[in-house]
Amino acid sequence: MSNLDIWTYSVVGFTFATYIGIAIWARAGTTGEFYVAGKGVHPVLNGMATGADWMSAASFISMAGLIAFNGYGGSVFLMGWTGGYVLLALLLAPYLRKFGKFTVPEFIGDRYYSQTARIVAVICLILASITYVIGQMKGIGVAFSRFLEVSYDMGLYIGMAIVAVYAVLGGMKGITYTQIAQYVVLIMAYTIPAIFISLNLTGNPFPQLGLGSEYAPDGVASGVSMLAKLDQVVTELGFKEYTTQTMGSTLNMFAYTLSLMIGTAGLPHVIIRFFTVPTVKSARFSAGWALVFIAILYTTAPAVGAMARLNFIDTLMIEKTETTEQGLAAFEPLPGDDLPGWFQNWSQTGLLVWKDLNDDGLVQYYNDKNDATIAEADALGYKGSEIFHGTGDALKPGPDLDIMVLANPEIAGLPNWVIALIVAGGLAAALSTAAGLLLAISSAISHDLLKSVFMKDISEKAELNAGRLSMIGAIIVAGYLGLNPPGFAAGTVAIAFGLAASSIFPALMLGIFYKRMNNVGAVAGMIAGITVTLLYVFQHKGIFFIPGTEFLAPQLGMGADWFFGISPNAFGAVGAVVNFAVAFLVSAVTAPPPEHIQHLVEDVRVPRGAGDATGH
């Protein structure tokens, strides 16, 4: 066993023992503890737990990887997710906390005086949450596959078992205190390697400042900024300039950001966290503290992404002599027998693969879709870029972007304990959010469907058991779909945000701020919004993300993103517009809500006082 293996097993083992120990110590004995941790969590601690719940595998593992290879275009994730959290904290959390119910479907059912509205909300919540869990399972599979040196699929199975143990045991009480520990682990794991790498590349210990500092590897000044150096390196290999690259059209960037923002504000697993504090005032303070804790990682992510891209290229390629002309030929790939250790380690997972297309024993990596680069590569005898991810004949071009954060310390040659720490952090981020999502699914099924609709006389013990069984079912479904995820972790999560944006967010906003909105309009809006979004996503990503089931686009000769250039991951914004429009139109031609409901809406909007969260 290598020194790295010893460090990794020690650090990951210690953190897991801590999580499971906390889950046992804080295990739920009542539905109040299972759903909302007994409503007694301190605002600062709840802010920390919310930060861990919020910063999922998409934030920790995937976001910086997407920023690394999408440059400026990756800013949609930063702006969308953080902006959405502000919307949630200001426009929804205090009012929902004052309303005093355990779950989002319960609010919708009571506000719209309709069991049908409650059931539709549960279905929307489950669809969004299961899709979100798929993204977490992808992150868990990536982390475990590298940590245990097994295939991605085996890593996913192991992660499913770990999630089942502590999520099912503890409920919200156990999850809350586990997430506090996970936040400490993940933020240390994210920032410590970033500080090391920033020092190595720029001499600045603050990654946020290092991003704009002079590029000075190992203290040797270059006279150019780090971003200018990165632009030079990627354009020489035929890729788009890092600092100006976009994700599609301006409209797509706008729709992507908007979809992530309003999807964030409609996420049930984050909203439910604001029921764990004792008062409305505590909910507001909790939201503010969570934003502080989230900002530490989100302001570091752009630097991590840029530095990871630069290190990835620099360690895989070595420069030729100074007399060589600039361009593709300015880089001589390392001989295959001398591939860096980090490359060989990740090759075992199938997430980073070298395939020698021209049998020259060298690694070629460049943009083989760029006409100018293709001509230059042909003259050198290259037959295409040779970096892939996948297995067998199902290879996809380039590295799997979800490995970049976890591989970054290895690429940069950091100490083994730092590499071990970041593995533990990646697992903490994925597990913390997966647990929160599973609890949201569990409460929707056991509390909002069984207890409130179909089995009103069910005992508290039976309700708890039903919640735990539904968690296990959700883990199995999400794990199965995670074997063939519809994209990288952050991309999959973006689809989940789109589903929440197109269904839950409009119903919550209208329920709080528009007292004329009735049950018929709300139900029609939710169904219309999520249906339009699901059809668009399925026609591009496959029905329930199953490969080979895509429809419409090939038959009609449509491009990949045919509706005004908006990608499926960004389509939640369009679905939300449809939801709002249908809800307004239907409510305008139907009877207004009862007078007592309109008074209830006015009362909820007054941000003063709140009783305890009521379970029934």
Side-chain angles (χ1 to χ4, degrees), residues 353 385 466 470 561 596:
V353 176
S385 185
S470 61
D561 307 320
H596 74 278

mmCIF file of all heavy atoms in Angstrom, residues 353 385 466 470 561 596:
data_model
loop_
_atom_site.group_PDB
_atom_site.id
_atom_site.type_symbol
_atom_site.label_atom_id
_atom_site.label_comp_id
_atom_site.label_asym_id
_atom_site.label_seq_id
_atom_site.Cartn_x
_atom_site.Cartn_y
_atom_site.Cartn_z
ATOM 1 N N VAL A 353 -8.831 8.635 -20.377
ATOM 2 C CA VAL A 353 -8.313 7.531 -21.187
ATOM 3 C C VAL A 353 -7.420 8.078 -22.292
ATOM 4 O O VAL A 353 -7.763 9.086 -22.942
ATOM 5 C CB VAL A 353 -9.480 6.726 -21.815
ATOM 6 C CG1 VAL A 353 -8.955 5.631 -22.725
ATOM 7 C CG2 VAL A 353 -10.363 6.129 -20.724
ATOM 8 N N SER A 385 -7.244 14.170 -31.502
ATOM 9 C CA SER A 385 -6.881 14.276 -30.091
ATOM 10 C C SER A 385 -7.076 12.920 -29.433
ATOM 11 O O SER A 385 -8.048 12.215 -29.706
ATOM 12 C CB SER A 385 -7.764 15.324 -29.413
ATOM 13 O OG SER A 385 -7.361 15.533 -28.083
ATOM 14 N N ALA A 466 -42.108 4.270 6.689
ATOM 15 C CA ALA A 466 -42.428 4.543 5.283
ATOM 16 C C ALA A 466 -41.441 5.545 4.694
ATOM 17 O O ALA A 466 -41.009 5.415 3.539
ATOM 18 C CB ALA A 466 -43.861 5.077 5.169
ATOM 19 N N SER A 470 -38.927 4.777 1.576
ATOM 20 C CA SER A 470 -38.935 5.605 0.363
ATOM 21 C C SER A 470 -37.541 6.152 0.072
ATOM 22 O O SER A 470 -37.168 6.332 -1.087
ATOM 23 C CB SER A 470 -39.957 6.736 0.493
ATOM 24 O OG SER A 470 -39.659 7.587 1.582
ATOM 25 N N ASP A 561 -29.749 22.142 -30.013
ATOM 26 C CA ASP A 561 -30.472 23.117 -29.177
ATOM 27 C C ASP A 561 -31.324 23.985 -30.101
ATOM 28 O O ASP A 561 -30.972 25.096 -30.427
ATOM 29 C CB ASP A 561 -29.487 23.988 -28.384
ATOM 30 C CG ASP A 561 -28.491 23.164 -27.596
ATOM 31 O OD1 ASP A 561 -28.875 22.142 -27.030
ATOM 32 O OD2 ASP A 561 -27.322 23.547 -27.562
ATOM 33 N N HIS A 596 -60.992 33.234 3.330
ATOM 34 C CA HIS A 596 -60.059 32.909 4.409
ATOM 35 C C HIS A 596 -58.665 32.586 3.872
ATOM 36 O O HIS A 596 -57.662 32.815 4.540
ATOM 37 C CB HIS A 596 -60.595 31.758 5.268
ATOM 38 C CG HIS A 596 -60.513 30.415 4.620
ATOM 39 N ND1 HIS A 596 -61.453 29.955 3.725
ATOM 40 C CD2 HIS A 596 -59.599 29.417 4.735
ATOM 41 C CE1 HIS A 596 -61.131 28.734 3.324
ATOM 42 N NE2 HIS A 596 -60.014 28.385 3.921
#
